[in-house]
Amino acid sequence: DAGVIQSPRHEVTEMGQEVTLRCKPISGHNSLFWYRQTMMRGLELLIYFNNNVPIDDSGMPEDRFSAKMPNASFSTLKIQPSEPRDSAVYFCASSFETGSLPQHFGDGTRLSIL
Amino acid sequence: AQSVTQLGSHVSVSEGALVLLRCNYSSSVPPYLFWYVQYPNQGLQLLLKYTTGATLVKGINGFEAEFKKSETSFHLTKPSAHMSDAAEYFCAVSGPSGAGSYQLTFGKGTKLSVIP
């Protein structure tokens, strides 16, 4: 079975541009997580969805960040406008139990904002 | 509040030697504890977890960890290192909403190098 699929794997763009990261969770999983990983701050939970509904977005840094899950097989994380400090690796993870810990991570999107 | 401290950002061991990666935690509730492994350019994989019951837990790839409440520790060990164990390892504690919560607090990670 395919794991969590993220695209693109790498993104380089200029400051001020809109960035959209995509995630396809494992089929049948009802929980989806977006994480950000940086050297300075480590792994941070940005947002948690359950059954396509955002349950906890307290980790979203500011209004420039938004996330959607229009259906059970697709989620996006959007940054508009992007800033150099948004440069990080962004991970999507999914699990099949409500409220459970993230079990399966995608390989991440490495984002560089110039 | 939850916190995790991993002692040593880098650990080097010889192939065949004991692997010991240290993790201490702070938790306001009885903790659930986890170890994840991250190989280069990949996402995290769950190695093992402690929830309740037996304090020595076994995971994948020959790793195990022991929950010691009195020491607030959850150190990861493997008797004999293999080249394929080279990766970054993250300790995590669940909370603060309670054990089993989706909210994980991760340590900063320990990068393990295995010397042939």
Side-chain angles (χ1 to χ4, degrees), chain A:
Chain A
D1 286 341
V4 176
I5 299 172
Q6 291 187 245
S7 63
R9 289 297 311 277
H10 303 274
E11 176 86 14
V12 180
T13 192
E14 292 187 347
M15 182 175 67
Q17 297 297 306
E18 177 179 295
V19 173
T20 299
L21 311 181
R22 297 173 176 79
C23 173
K24 177 179 169 56
I26 293 173
S27 178
H29 283 195
N30 61 0
S31 291
L32 184 137
F33 310 80
W34 281 100
Y35 282 87
R36 178 171 67 176
Q37 185 179 39
T38 61
M39 289 291 291
M40 292 297 295
R41 300 173 68 93
L43 274 156
E44 304 171 280
L45 176 64
L46 299 178
I47 188 167
Y48 162 58
F49 289 89
N50 182 249
N51 291 323
N52 313 336
V53 176
I55 303 300
D56 182 356
D57 65 354
S58 59
M60 296 286 267
E62 48 200 273
D63 292 345
R64 297 185 297 106
F65 284 68
S66 62
K68 294 182 179 180
M69 193 165 185
N71 57 61
S73 59
F74 185 65
S75 177
T76 60
L77 178 67
K78 188 173 292 186
I79 309 172
Q80 167 63 22
S82 57
E83 297 183 5
R85 60 194 168 117
D86 302 329
S87 297
V89 182
Y90 291 81
F91 289 102
C92 176
S94 69
S95 64
F96 61 83
E97 292 179 19
T98 298
S100 74
L101 56 103
Q103 293 173 305
H104 302 273
F105 282 73
D107 288 340
T109 295
R110 185 172 296 275
L111 177 64
S112 297
I113 308 297
L114 305 177

Side-chain angles (χ1 to χ4, degrees), chain B residues 93-114:
Chain B
V93 61
S94 65
S97 300
S101 164
Y102 63 86
Q103 295 168 318
L104 292 180
T105 300
F106 286 90
K108 290 293 181 67
T110 297
K111 192 163 290 187
L112 175 67
S113 299
V114 181

